[in-house]
Amino acid sequence: MSWTLYRHYKGNHYLRLGVAAHSEDLSPQVVYRCLYDNPEARTWVRPQPMFDGVIADGRQRFTPVGRLRLVQPEDMRTVLAFGYDAWKHDKTFDQYCAAKDSDPHHQRGTRYLLEDVAGQSVAALNVLRFRESLIGFASVATSPEQRGKGYASLLLRAVMELHRFAQPDLRFLLFSEIKPAIYERLGFRVLPPEHQHFLPTPAMATGDTPLSIVEAEFLKVYF
Ligand SMILES: CC(C)(COP(=O)(O)OP(=O)(O)OC[C@H]1O[C@@H](n2cnc3c(N)ncnc32)[C@H](O)[C@@H]1OP(=O)(O)O)[C@@H](O)C(=O)NCCC(=O)NCCS
Protein backbone atom coordinates (compact mmCIF):
# COMPACT_ATOMS: atom_id res chain seq x y z
CA MET A 1 0.00 0.00 0.00
CA SER A 2 1.27 3.46 -0.82
CA TRP A 3 -0.17 6.89 -1.44
CA THR A 4 1.41 9.77 -3.33
CA LEU A 5 1.45 13.23 -1.77
CA TYR A 6 1.17 16.32 -3.96
CA ARG A 7 1.54 20.07 -3.75
CA HIS A 8 -1.11 21.95 -5.71
CA TYR A 9 0.25 24.86 -7.75
CA LYS A 10 -1.43 27.23 -5.27
CA GLY A 11 0.64 25.69 -2.47
CA ASN A 12 -1.63 23.35 -0.52
CA HIS A 13 -0.85 19.67 0.00
CA TYR A 14 -3.02 16.68 -0.93
CA LEU A 15 -2.99 12.92 -0.56
CA ARG A 16 -4.08 10.90 -3.57
CA LEU A 17 -6.37 8.15 -2.33
CA GLY A 18 -6.95 6.38 -5.64
CA VAL A 19 -8.78 6.46 -8.94
CA ALA A 20 -12.54 5.83 -9.30
CA ALA A 21 -14.66 5.30 -12.42
CA HIS A 22 -17.36 7.91 -13.08
CA SER A 23 -20.75 6.18 -12.84
CA GLU A 24 -22.08 7.82 -16.07
CA ASP A 25 -19.21 7.40 -18.52
CA LEU A 26 -16.59 5.32 -16.68
CA SER A 27 -14.05 8.13 -17.07
CA PRO A 28 -11.24 7.91 -14.46
CA GLN A 29 -11.54 10.31 -11.55
CA VAL A 30 -8.77 10.90 -9.04
CA VAL A 31 -10.02 10.84 -5.44
CA TYR A 32 -7.84 12.97 -3.18
CA ARG A 33 -7.82 14.35 0.30
CA CYS A 34 -6.86 17.80 1.60
CA LEU A 35 -3.93 17.94 4.00
CA TYR A 36 -5.09 21.26 5.42
CA ASP A 37 -8.26 22.51 7.08
CA ASN A 38 -10.64 23.19 4.22
CA PRO A 39 -14.13 23.99 5.58
CA GLU A 40 -15.75 23.28 2.19
CA ALA A 41 -14.72 19.63 1.93
CA ARG A 42 -11.82 17.33 2.75
CA THR A 43 -12.23 14.69 0.02
CA TRP A 44 -12.36 15.76 -3.63
CA VAL A 45 -12.61 14.17 -7.08
CA ARG A 46 -11.23 15.50 -10.34
CA PRO A 47 -10.94 13.93 -13.81
CA GLN A 48 -7.62 12.09 -13.97
CA PRO A 49 -6.30 13.90 -17.11
CA MET A 50 -6.97 17.20 -15.33
CA PHE A 51 -5.34 16.04 -12.09
CA ASP A 52 -2.23 14.85 -13.94
CA GLY A 53 -2.23 17.77 -16.40
CA VAL A 54 -0.78 21.25 -16.59
CA ILE A 55 -2.26 24.70 -16.02
CA ALA A 56 -2.32 27.59 -18.54
CA ASP A 57 1.28 28.67 -17.83
CA GLY A 58 2.61 25.13 -18.39
CA ARG A 59 3.18 24.20 -14.74
CA GLN A 60 1.89 20.88 -13.36
CA ARG A 61 -1.43 21.34 -11.55
CA PHE A 62 -0.30 18.85 -8.87
CA THR A 63 3.41 18.14 -8.31
CA PRO A 64 4.37 14.98 -6.39
CA VAL A 65 6.26 15.79 -3.17
CA GLY A 66 6.54 12.35 -1.63
CA ARG A 67 5.06 8.97 -1.01
CA LEU A 68 3.45 7.52 2.11
CA ARG A 69 3.76 3.81 2.69
CA LEU A 70 3.84 1.20 5.45
CA VAL A 71 7.20 0.41 7.05
CA GLN A 72 8.51 -3.01 6.06
CA PRO A 73 10.79 -5.13 8.29
CA GLU A 74 13.78 -4.26 6.09
CA ASP A 75 13.15 -0.52 6.73
CA MET A 76 13.47 -0.82 10.51
CA ARG A 77 17.15 0.15 10.86
CA THR A 78 16.59 3.18 8.63
CA VAL A 79 13.55 4.18 10.69
CA LEU A 80 15.36 3.66 14.00
CA ALA A 81 18.19 5.88 12.80
CA PHE A 82 15.75 8.80 12.47
CA GLY A 83 15.20 9.12 16.24
CA TYR A 84 18.53 7.69 17.43
CA ASP A 85 20.04 11.07 18.35
CA ALA A 86 17.05 11.88 20.58
CA TRP A 87 16.48 8.47 22.19
CA LYS A 88 19.83 6.63 22.23
CA HIS A 89 20.55 7.03 25.99
CA ASP A 90 24.29 6.32 25.54
CA LYS A 91 23.69 3.18 23.45
CA THR A 92 25.61 2.49 20.26
CA PHE A 93 23.33 2.26 17.24
CA ASP A 94 23.57 -1.56 17.23
CA GLN A 95 22.72 -1.71 20.94
CA TYR A 96 19.85 0.69 20.38
CA CYS A 97 18.42 -1.47 17.54
CA ALA A 98 18.86 -4.65 19.59
CA ALA A 99 17.07 -3.07 22.58
CA LYS A 100 14.16 -2.06 20.32
CA ASP A 101 14.02 -5.57 18.86
CA SER A 102 13.41 -7.06 22.29
CA ASP A 103 11.04 -4.33 23.53
CA PRO A 104 7.39 -5.46 23.39
CA HIS A 105 6.24 -1.81 23.23
CA HIS A 106 8.31 -1.34 20.12
CA GLN A 107 6.59 -4.31 18.44
CA ARG A 108 3.16 -2.70 18.79
CA GLY A 109 1.48 -0.51 16.22
CA THR A 110 1.56 0.12 12.49
CA ARG A 111 4.47 2.21 11.24
CA TYR A 112 4.21 4.60 8.34
CA LEU A 113 7.08 5.96 6.31
CA LEU A 114 7.37 9.10 4.22
CA GLU A 115 9.67 9.03 1.19
CA ASP A 116 10.73 12.14 -0.68
CA VAL A 117 10.26 12.42 -4.47
CA ALA A 118 13.60 10.70 -5.05
CA GLY A 119 12.38 7.67 -3.07
CA GLN A 120 14.58 8.39 -0.06
CA SER A 121 13.06 7.60 3.36
CA VAL A 122 12.78 10.84 5.32
CA ALA A 123 10.36 10.45 8.26
CA ALA A 124 8.36 7.81 10.11
CA LEU A 125 5.82 7.38 12.88
CA ASN A 126 3.95 4.64 14.69
CA VAL A 127 0.15 4.40 14.84
CA LEU A 128 -1.27 2.77 17.97
CA ARG A 129 -4.92 1.84 17.49
CA PHE A 130 -6.32 1.93 21.04
CA ARG A 131 -9.99 1.79 20.10
CA GLU A 132 -11.99 2.00 16.89
CA SER A 133 -12.17 5.77 17.27
CA LEU A 134 -8.93 6.43 19.16
CA ILE A 135 -5.43 6.44 17.69
CA GLY A 136 -2.17 7.28 19.40
CA PHE A 137 0.97 8.46 17.64
CA ALA A 138 4.42 7.43 18.81
CA SER A 139 8.04 7.55 17.62
CA VAL A 140 7.55 10.53 15.30
CA ALA A 141 11.01 11.13 13.83
CA THR A 142 12.67 12.66 10.78
CA SER A 143 16.09 11.82 9.42
CA PRO A 144 18.50 14.34 11.03
CA GLU A 145 19.64 15.60 7.58
CA GLN A 146 16.05 16.22 6.51
CA ARG A 147 14.70 18.13 9.50
CA GLY A 148 13.10 21.53 9.29
CA LYS A 149 11.67 20.90 5.81
CA GLY A 150 8.15 20.09 6.95
CA TYR A 151 8.40 16.31 6.56
CA ALA A 152 7.18 15.35 10.04
CA SER A 153 4.21 17.70 9.74
CA LEU A 154 3.38 16.37 6.28
CA LEU A 155 3.61 12.77 7.45
CA LEU A 156 1.43 13.38 10.51
CA ARG A 157 -1.17 15.21 8.47
CA ALA A 158 -1.19 12.54 5.76
CA VAL A 159 -1.65 9.69 8.26
CA MET A 160 -4.36 11.62 10.10
CA GLU A 161 -6.30 12.35 6.91
CA LEU A 162 -5.89 8.81 5.60
CA HIS A 163 -7.49 7.49 8.77
CA ARG A 164 -10.13 10.22 8.94
CA PHE A 165 -11.19 9.39 5.41
CA ALA A 166 -12.16 5.92 6.64
CA GLN A 167 -13.51 7.20 9.96
CA PRO A 168 -14.25 10.94 10.31
CA ASP A 169 -14.86 10.96 14.08
CA LEU A 170 -11.39 9.73 14.99
CA ARG A 171 -9.51 11.27 17.87
CA PHE A 172 -5.70 11.31 18.00
CA LEU A 173 -3.43 11.29 21.05
CA LEU A 174 0.28 11.83 21.47
CA PHE A 175 2.92 12.83 23.98
CA SER A 176 5.08 15.75 22.90
CA GLU A 177 8.74 15.47 23.80
CA ILE A 178 9.40 18.80 22.11
CA LYS A 179 7.71 22.18 22.25
CA PRO A 180 4.12 21.38 21.29
CA ALA A 181 3.81 24.08 18.58
CA ILE A 182 4.36 21.59 15.73
CA TYR A 183 1.46 19.47 17.01
CA GLU A 184 -0.78 22.46 17.82
CA ARG A 185 -0.56 23.45 14.16
CA LEU A 186 -2.10 20.04 13.37
CA GLY A 187 -5.03 20.52 15.76
CA PHE A 188 -3.61 18.92 18.92
CA ARG A 189 -4.11 20.64 22.28
CA VAL A 190 -2.28 20.02 25.56
CA LEU A 191 -4.68 18.13 27.85
CA PRO A 192 -5.66 19.37 31.33
CA PRO A 193 -3.52 18.41 34.36
CA GLU A 194 -5.61 15.37 35.35
CA HIS A 195 -4.49 13.63 32.12
CA GLN A 196 -0.78 14.36 32.56
CA HIS A 197 1.03 11.26 33.84
CA PHE A 198 4.45 11.62 32.19
CA LEU A 199 5.39 15.29 32.66
CA PRO A 200 7.52 17.04 31.46
CA THR A 201 6.26 15.25 28.33
CA PRO A 202 2.73 16.66 27.90
CA ALA A 203 -0.14 14.52 26.66
CA MET A 204 -2.03 16.10 23.76
CA ALA A 205 -5.22 15.24 21.89
CA THR A 206 -7.28 16.41 18.94
CA GLY A 207 -10.97 17.26 19.34
CA ASP A 208 -12.88 19.83 21.36
CA THR A 209 -14.76 17.52 23.72
CA PRO A 210 -13.18 16.40 27.01
CA LEU A 211 -11.64 12.93 26.96
CA SER A 212 -13.99 10.19 28.12
CA ILE A 213 -12.94 8.04 31.07
CA VAL A 214 -12.16 5.17 28.69
CA GLU A 215 -10.07 7.37 26.35
CA ALA A 216 -8.17 8.84 29.30
CA GLU A 217 -7.20 5.37 30.56
CA PHE A 218 -5.03 4.80 27.48
CA LEU A 219 -2.85 7.75 28.45
CA LYS A 220 -1.74 5.86 31.57
CA VAL A 221 -0.58 2.78 29.67
CA TYR A 222 0.80 4.55 26.61
CA PHE A 223 4.48 3.75 27.19
C1 LIG B 1 10.65 16.59 16.03
C2 LIG B 1 10.94 16.14 14.62
C3 LIG B 1 10.17 14.87 14.33
C4 LIG B 1 10.49 17.25 13.67
O1 LIG B 1 10.71 16.80 12.35
P1 LIG B 1 10.78 17.81 11.12
O2 LIG B 1 10.59 17.03 9.89
O3 LIG B 1 11.99 18.66 11.24
O4 LIG B 1 9.49 18.68 11.45
P2 LIG B 1 8.81 19.78 10.53
O5 LIG B 1 9.82 20.31 9.55
O6 LIG B 1 7.55 19.26 10.02
O7 LIG B 1 8.45 20.86 11.60
C5 LIG B 1 9.47 21.62 12.18
C6 LIG B 1 8.95 22.07 13.50
O8 LIG B 1 9.22 21.08 14.47
C7 LIG B 1 9.41 21.70 15.71
N1 LIG B 1 10.63 21.14 16.27
C8 LIG B 1 11.49 20.32 15.67
N2 LIG B 1 12.46 19.95 16.51
C9 LIG B 1 12.21 20.55 17.68
C10 LIG B 1 12.82 20.55 18.95
N3 LIG B 1 13.93 19.86 19.20
N4 LIG B 1 12.24 21.28 19.90
C11 LIG B 1 11.14 21.98 19.66
N5 LIG B 1 10.51 22.02 18.49
C12 LIG B 1 11.04 21.30 17.51
C13 LIG B 1 9.46 23.18 15.49
O9 LIG B 1 8.17 23.66 15.89
C14 LIG B 1 9.62 23.31 14.02
O10 LIG B 1 8.87 24.40 13.58
P3 LIG B 1 9.63 25.72 13.13
O11 LIG B 1 10.40 25.32 11.91
O12 LIG B 1 8.51 26.66 12.86
O13 LIG B 1 10.50 26.12 14.27
C15 LIG B 1 12.47 15.92 14.41
O14 LIG B 1 13.16 17.05 14.89
C16 LIG B 1 13.01 14.68 15.10
O15 LIG B 1 13.01 13.61 14.54
N6 LIG B 1 13.50 14.82 16.34
C17 LIG B 1 14.03 13.66 17.08
C18 LIG B 1 12.91 12.76 17.57
C19 LIG B 1 11.85 13.53 18.35
O16 LIG B 1 12.14 14.30 19.25
N7 LIG B 1 10.59 13.30 17.98
C20 LIG B 1 9.44 13.96 18.57
C21 LIG B 1 8.83 13.09 19.60
S1 LIG B 1 7.38 13.86 20.29
Side-chain angles (χ1 to χ4, degrees):
M1 282 196 286
S2 75
W3 302 265
T4 304
L5 300 163
Y6 294 85
R7 188 179 53 249
H8 186 252
Y9 74 94
K10 288 181 184 165
N12 286 318
H13 287 98
Y14 295 87
L15 174 74
R16 182 172 173 143
L17 294 165
V19 178
H22 196 291
S23 60
E24 301 310 301
D25 60 9
L26 296 182
S27 60
Q29 309 286 322
V30 175
V31 184
Y32 58 106
R33 181 93 179 163
C34 285
L35 298 184
Y36 63 100
D37 297 323
N38 186 336
E40 280 188 286
R42 287 287 179 90
T43 309
W44 297 79
V45 292
R46 191 187 277 263
Q48 185 168 13
M50 194 181 179
F51 188 97
D52 291 332
V54 295
I55 56 171
D57 64 9
R59 284 181 294 154
Q60 282 294 130
R61 178 170 275 108
F62 289 94
T63 305
V65 293
R67 188 169 79 109
L68 175 69
R69 66 174 177 84
L70 294 178
V71 168
Q72 303 300 312
E74 60 271 24
D75 299 314
M76 263 330 288
R77 276 180 78 88
T78 303
V79 166
L80 286 173
F82 294 167
Y84 174 62
D85 62 332
W87 300 317
K88 62 185 166 186
H89 298 301
D90 294 330
K91 293 189 179 72
T92 65
F93 186 58
D94 282 341
Q95 288 168 339
Y96 176 74
C97 292
K100 293 288 181 195
D101 266 352
S102 57
D103 176 358
H105 281 294
H106 182 73
Q107 311 304 332
R108 298 184 303 163
T110 305
R111 287 172 198 271
Y112 288 81
L113 182 68
L114 179 64
E115 291 177 350
D116 65 11
V117 270
Q120 192 189 352
S121 303
V122 291
L125 58 74
N126 196 6
V127 166
L128 306 170
R129 174 74 73 158
F130 293 126
R131 289 169 65 77
E132 207 180 348
S133 58
L134 188 68
I135 278 178
F137 286 129
S139 307
V140 180
T142 298
S143 166
E145 306 83 59
Q146 302 290 346
R147 291 182 189 165
K149 299 180 182 175
Y151 284 129
S153 306
L154 188 62
L155 172 62
L156 280 155
R157 184 68 94 160
V159 172
M160 289 168 81
E161 292 307 323
L162 185 63
H163 286 80
R164 280 179 175 146
F165 174 60
Q167 199 178 343
D169 64 342
L170 267 180
R171 171 168 246 163
F172 297 91
L173 303 174
L174 59 75
F175 284 83
S176 179
E177 295 175 34
I178 57 176
K179 270 187 253 151
I182 180 176
Y183 301 120
E184 285 169 348
R185 287 197 285 265
L186 297 167
F188 286 86
R189 297 290 169 260
V190 174
L191 289 164
E194 64 270 25
H195 297 316
Q196 301 297 345
H197 309 291
F198 299 103
L199 289 175
T201 301
M204 304 182 77
T206 58
D208 298 326
T209 51
L211 288 193
S212 69
I213 293 170
V214 176
E215 287 174 334
E217 282 303 302
F218 290 101
L219 292 171
K220 297 179 188 163
V221 295
Y222 209 90
F223 295 110

